[in-house]
């Protein structure tokens, strides 16, 4: 269709829209979570950004900076990025070396001190079993951060791979992958967790991680697919193809670096939500189990006697909320820095 | 239009089958339901065989699924092992969940859109920044923490609202769980409204409306808000579907005997029919909500074509 081609050339967005609509899934990618919401605006912004910049006459030509260099310049001056970044570094240190922050063993409990409030040397008080809440909060970081990081890495890997392949090749492979993603998307995540995790009797961190990856990859696959479809239609990809680049080279050298930004943003925010998810699953009794020390377990155990000893719940809950907030704020700041429309 | 609806309905079929089958397989992997029924005692072989035959437990799993689905379309969800029909469980649970949904949804719409509009119109000011930060904080705190803290403060300590719901479901007792349930979605609605309002304030039609001398409230309500609400409405539609699926956590904290509560009990007691029946209904609601949102989207925004 020659007409269609002319139309495409005059408006680079026309093609992008068509292809998207053609492969619409039965369950639209509704922006049900913050991650997807932010990632999609980023993809949209990228689409608008393919008009070449015209350098102003007379202006001295500066060395062109890449998107990431630009973003880094912005981020270094963003207080939200600095605060959340420092918080995350601190949390990671706590997770790796909890012994640096407390000398009390979180499993060393004294029933005579059950539910006692904060005292000197034990600033967060004791829980029902007489364990030191401060030590348990410090040691609980490890389980939460491990689940968050591993689940995010897993679902980002699976999601990017499948979503990228679906977006790059299109056709039947796209249809198959999109439908499978729809099926997993149709299961409410908490409900799936209750059913799936109560089947398995082994309670380890890795089971919880595997479960989150199984139900979490469709979200990242959708973002990856959208980003790859957008990147695929840019002129530099056509140019590379015309120069004889094969599919592998196109994908790895040209499309992936340009499609990875929204995936990173969504994954960072997802990390925060996965940590909250692990706590919620532990609260419902299907996540981690003692003797693993985790914020979710502690909050769940403390919830029965919240009105008598609120400190048992409030300290681990605050630690959990701050961790989730730090990751969400980091993702938010990175998104703002990567969005060319906001410049 | 008709073709579009038909195509979407056809696309739903494999998703429906896939999701329900997945849940069916997972629930049946929970363990032998007959053994679960008898607890610690070993069942009498003859009785066990009779129960197995009655519930089709001897067939291969896919055949069990097909038979189950066949009955389902005749509105027969089977009975639990205690003899109660799943249909009666649904009838008992759904009115409660619908009431809770109505309360939560109203709070979400009124405050979410209100805060989002306020923040989008004052972009970059204190009101905007505080809404942005507050919504992030709300999103970061897990629902069960918000639930317990509000239940303790509002319900127990200050005694403003009832702390639990129980069997006697009144509007007043649902207010607190409604706030807890709505809080996270409210934050999303506010952020989404803010983004679209802030984008559209620069649109040509708003400038035209201001230039032709319309009063500010008419510009904001008739021109700006109306166009900005399109993505918000789609979010709200899907969220309504999610809310009707019951709230596992909120219903557990406030002792509300709705869908989420019944489902949780079903899973804990390994009541296969309850779980599969409820989940099937949930998946249908979820898919229908998505379809309705798509149609609504096209009605609100005439630029959308039905391909």
């Amino acid at each position: 269709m020659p007409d269609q081609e002319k139309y495409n050339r005059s408006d680079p967005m026309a093609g992008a829209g068509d292809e998207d609509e053609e492969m619409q899934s039965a369950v639209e990618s509704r922006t049900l979570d913050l991650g997807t919401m932010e990632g999609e605006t980023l993809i949209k912004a990228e689409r608008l950004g393919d008009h070449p910049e015209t350098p102003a006459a007379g202006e001295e030509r500066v060395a062109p900076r890449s998107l990431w260099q630009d973003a880094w310049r912005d981020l270094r001056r963003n207080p939200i990025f600095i605060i959340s970044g420092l918080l995350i570094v601190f949390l990671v240190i706590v997770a790796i070396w909890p012994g640096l922050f407390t000398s009390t063993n979180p499993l060393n409990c004294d029933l005579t001190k059950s539910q006692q409030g904060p005292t000197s040397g034990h600033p967060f008080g004791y829980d029902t079993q007489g364990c030191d809440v401060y030590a348990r909060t410090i040691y609980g970081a490890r389980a939460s951060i491990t689940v968050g990081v591993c689940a995010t890495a897993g679902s980002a890997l699976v999601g990017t791979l499948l979503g990228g392949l679906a977006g790059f090749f299109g056709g039947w492979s796209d249809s198959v992958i999109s439908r499978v993603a729809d099926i997993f998307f149709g299961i409410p995540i908490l409900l799936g967790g209750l059913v799936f995790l109560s089947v398995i009797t082994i309670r380890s961190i890795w089971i919880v991680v595997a479960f989150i990856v199984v139900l979490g990859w469709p979200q990242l696959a959708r973002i990856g697919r959208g980003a790859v479809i957008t990147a695929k239609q840019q002129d530099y990809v056509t140019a590379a193809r015309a120069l004889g680049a094969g599919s592998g080279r196109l994908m790895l050298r040209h499309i992936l670096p340009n499609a990875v930004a929204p995936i990173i943003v969504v994954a960072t925010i997802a990390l925060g939500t996965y940590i909250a998810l692990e706590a919620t699953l532990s609260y419902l009794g299907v996540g981690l189990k003692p003797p693993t020390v985790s914020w979710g377990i502690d909050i769940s155990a403390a919830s029965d006697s919240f009105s008598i000893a609120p400190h048992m719940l409030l300290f681990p809950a605050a630690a959990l909320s701050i961790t989730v907030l730090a990751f969400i704020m980091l993702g938010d700041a990175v998104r703002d820095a990567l969005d060319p429309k906001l410049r | 239009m008709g073709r579009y609806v038909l195509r979407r309905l056809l696309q739903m079929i494999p998703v429906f089958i896939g999701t329900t089958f997945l849940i069916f397989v997972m629930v049946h992997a929970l363990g032998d339901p007959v053994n679960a029924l008898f607890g610690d005692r070993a069942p009498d072989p003859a009785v066990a065989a009779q129960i197995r035959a009655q519930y089709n437990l001897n067939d291969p799993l896919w055949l069990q699924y097909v038979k189950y689905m066949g009955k389902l379309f005749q509105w027969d969800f089977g009975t639990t092992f205690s003899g109660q029909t799943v249909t009666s469980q649904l009838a008992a649970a759904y009115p409660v969940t619908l009431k809770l949904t109505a309360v939560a949804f109203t709070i979400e719409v009124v405050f979410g859109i209100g805060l989002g509009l306020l923040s989008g119109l004052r972009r970059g000011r204190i009101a905007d920044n505080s809404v942005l930060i507050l919504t992030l904080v709300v999103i970061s705190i897990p629902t069960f923490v918000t639930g317990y803290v509000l239940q303790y403060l509002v319900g127990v300590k200050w005694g403003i609202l009832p702390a639990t719901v129980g069997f006697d479901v009144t509007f007043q007792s649902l207010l607190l769980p409604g706030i807890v349930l709505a809080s996270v979605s409210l934050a999303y609605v506010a952020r989404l409204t803010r983004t679209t309002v802030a984008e559209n304030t620069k649109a040509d039609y708003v400038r035209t409306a201001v230039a032709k001398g319309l009063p500010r409230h008419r510009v904001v309500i008739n021109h700006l808000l109306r166009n900005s609400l399109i993505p918000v409405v789609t979010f709200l539609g899907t969220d309504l579907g999610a809310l009707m699926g019951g709230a596992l956590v909120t219903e557990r904290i406030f002792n509300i005997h709705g869908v989420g509560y019944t489902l949780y009990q079903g899973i804990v007691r390994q009541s296969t029919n309850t779980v599969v029946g409820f989940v099937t209904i949930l998946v249908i609601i979820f898919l229908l909500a998505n379809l309705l949102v798509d149609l609504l989207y096209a009605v609100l925004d005439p630029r959308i074509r039905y391909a």
Side-chain angles (χ1 to χ4, degrees):
Chain A
M1 279 186 286
D3 281 14
Q4 183 62 36
E5 219 168 282
K6 218 185 289 167
Y7 185 55
N8 268 344
R9 210 177 302 144
S10 65
D11 180 5
M13 267 193 74
D18 279 354
E19 190 151 344
D20 259 357
E21 257 153 31
E22 204 175 292
M23 292 164 195
Q24 238 171 14
S25 54
V27 186
E28 278 284 301
S29 65
R30 294 276 164 256
T31 51
L32 258 175
D33 55 288
L34 193 67
T36 315
M37 213 142 99
E38 309 237 322
E40 274 177 356
T41 53
L42 207 57
I43 295 175
K44 244 193 279 170
E46 208 158 284
R47 235 181 235 170
L48 295 172
D50 50 342
H51 304 288
E53 280 172 42
T54 40
E59 201 178 293
E60 208 178 317
R61 200 172 158 70
V62 282
R65 288 190 308 264
S66 75
L67 180 67
W68 289 99
Q69 281 166 328
D70 260 349
W72 176 238
R73 269 166 53 95
D74 275 11
L75 283 177
R76 271 186 312 190
R77 271 178 273 139
N78 184 347
I80 291 184
F81 174 77
I82 296 170
I83 295 172
S84 55
L86 286 177
L87 251 173
I88 289 169
V89 170
F90 173 72
L91 286 164
V92 169
I93 294 175
V94 170
I96 300 176
W97 299 288
L100 285 179
F101 297 88
T102 173
S103 52
T104 319
N105 183 347
L107 298 174
N108 191 2
C109 310
D110 182 359
L111 264 178
T112 57
K113 291 176 178 164
S114 174
Q115 299 189 356
Q116 277 180 18
T119 50
S120 70
H122 301 279
F124 292 180
Y126 296 91
D127 69 7
T128 308
Q129 301 295 321
C131 312
D132 184 52
V133 176
Y134 174 71
R136 288 190 72 87
T137 308
I138 291 288
Y139 276 87
R142 180 177 285 176
S144 295
I145 303 258
T146 313
V147 169
V149 170
C150 295
T152 309
S155 48
L157 217 67
V158 177
T160 313
L161 194 72
L162 290 178
L165 290 179
F168 187 79
F169 290 110
W172 66 267
S173 61
D174 182 28
S175 305
V176 170
I177 292 175
S178 295
R179 284 302 93 73
V180 174
D182 280 349
I183 290 173
F184 282 94
F185 220 68
I187 304 175
I189 198 150
L190 269 185
L191 198 62
L194 269 177
V195 176
F196 182 82
L197 291 174
S198 52
V199 175
I200 296 161
T201 43
I202 322 154
R203 283 278 176 273
S204 85
I205 284 186
W206 304 112
I207 298 291
V208 177
V209 169
F211 161 73
I212 297 180
V213 172
V214 166
L215 285 198
W217 69 268
Q219 185 202 2
L220 284 140
R222 284 201 171 143
I223 291 296
R225 176 177 166 274
V228 165
I229 287 177
T230 309
K232 198 174 80 172
Q233 287 156 346
Q234 309 276 355
D235 289 343
Y236 55 77
V237 177
T238 320
R241 199 191 285 278
L243 285 170
S247 287
R249 191 181 166 83
L250 274 181
M251 271 192 277
L252 292 176
R253 294 290 306 247
H254 298 276
I255 293 178
L256 189 66
N258 290 291
V260 83
I263 297 170
I264 288 181
V265 170
V266 177
T268 316
I269 295 171
L271 210 165
T273 52
Y274 290 162
I275 291 178
L277 179 65
E278 178 270 309
T280 310
L281 288 173
S282 298
Y283 163 74
L284 289 173
V286 292
L288 304 174
K289 278 271 155 69
T292 310
V293 182
S294 126
W295 293 330
I297 297 172
D298 285 6
I299 295 170
S300 171
S303 59
D304 295 331
S305 41
F306 182 62
S307 51
I308 312 162
H311 68 271
M312 288 167 17
L313 187 142
L314 290 180
F315 287 112
L320 175 67
S321 306
I322 289 171
T323 311
V324 177
L325 186 64
F327 281 105
I328 290 182
M329 283 199 325
L330 185 79
D332 206 40
V334 173
R335 196 210 76 84
D336 283 352
L338 283 173
D339 190 345
K341 252 197 331 192
L342 292 178
R343 289 246 166 72
Chain B
M1 180 87 182
R3 270 188 62 193
Y4 177 77
V5 176
L6 192 70
R7 205 185 64 173
R8 295 308 300 269
L9 280 173
L10 286 179
Q11 276 183 337
M12 276 182 181
I13 294 172
V15 178
F16 174 75
I17 294 175
T19 311
T20 45
F21 186 65
L22 206 64
I23 290 284
F24 197 80
V25 171
M26 276 178 3
V27 170
H28 280 265
L30 274 173
D32 188 357
V34 179
N35 281 343
L37 178 63
F38 283 91
D40 296 333
R41 287 180 301 143
D44 177 41
V47 177
Q50 194 204 342
I51 293 174
R52 275 171 207 284
Q54 189 189 343
Y55 290 96
N56 299 325
L57 292 174
N58 292 320
D59 296 331
L61 204 54
W62 67 268
L63 194 63
Q64 286 186 38
Y65 175 77
V66 172
K67 281 185 179 171
Y68 182 82
M69 281 295 149
K71 275 194 192 163
L72 201 80
F73 282 107
Q74 298 157 23
W75 206 246
D76 176 11
F77 286 77
T79 51
T80 62
F81 285 122
S82 57
Q84 203 182 6
T85 60
V86 176
T87 336
S88 73
Q89 281 188 316
L90 278 169
Y94 252 98
V96 183
T97 293
L98 284 181
K99 277 182 206 161
L100 180 63
T101 302
V103 173
F105 195 68
T106 314
I107 296 171
E108 183 183 328
V109 169
V110 172
F111 289 94
I113 294 179
L115 284 177
L117 186 64
L118 179 84
S119 150
L121 288 176
R122 294 166 196 270
R123 204 174 172 177
R125 310 253 192 94
I126 300 173
D128 177 30
N129 284 330
S130 39
V131 166
L132 278 184
I133 292 173
L134 265 179
T135 48
L136 268 194
V137 170
V138 168
I139 292 171
S140 314
I141 304 176
T143 318
F144 60 103
V145 175
T146 333
Y148 278 115
V149 172
L150 282 185
Q151 185 183 42
Y152 175 65
L153 288 180
V154 180
V156 178
K157 202 168 179 191
W158 302 331
I160 303 171
L161 292 168
T164 52
V165 177
F167 286 105
D168 185 27
V169 184
T170 58
F171 169 74
Q172 223 187 8
S173 63
L174 283 177
L175 206 54
L176 192 56
I179 293 171
V180 172
L181 190 57
S183 60
V184 174
S185 305
L186 192 157
Y188 283 131
V189 171
R191 288 180 79 89
L192 197 60
T193 312
R194 176 202 175 258
T195 315
T196 51
V197 165
E199 255 171 36
N200 286 341
T201 39
K202 294 177 209 140
D204 290 340
Y205 62 83
V206 173
R207 199 165 11 144
T208 311
V210 173
K212 73 182 180 189
L214 286 183
R216 187 172 155 79
H217 65 93
R218 284 205 57 187
V219 177
V220 169
I221 293 171
N222 289 7
H223 295 257
L224 182 60
L225 197 57
R226 210 159 159 184
N227 284 288
S228 304
L229 283 186
I230 295 169
V232 180
V233 166
T234 64
F235 175 85
L236 287 174
T238 338
D239 202 47
L240 191 64
L243 283 176
M244 291 213 290
L248 286 170
V249 174
T250 313
E251 291 188 1
R252 200 181 149 194
I253 294 176
F254 292 98
N255 189 30
I256 303 168
H257 294 244
V259 174
Y261 183 88
T262 317
L263 199 51
Y264 183 74
Q265 296 297 328
I267 293 168
V268 173
R269 293 182 188 156
Q270 299 190 9
S271 172
T272 340
N273 278 343
T274 311
V275 178
V276 180
F278 273 72
V279 171
T280 310
I281 294 283
L282 293 193
V283 172
I284 293 174
I285 290 178
F286 178 75
L287 289 174
L288 283 181
N290 266 290
L291 179 71
L292 279 180
V293 163
D294 276 352
L295 299 181
L296 202 61
Y297 199 78
V299 171
L300 286 172
D301 191 348
R303 285 170 299 184
I304 307 240
R305 296 161 295 160
Y306 297 108

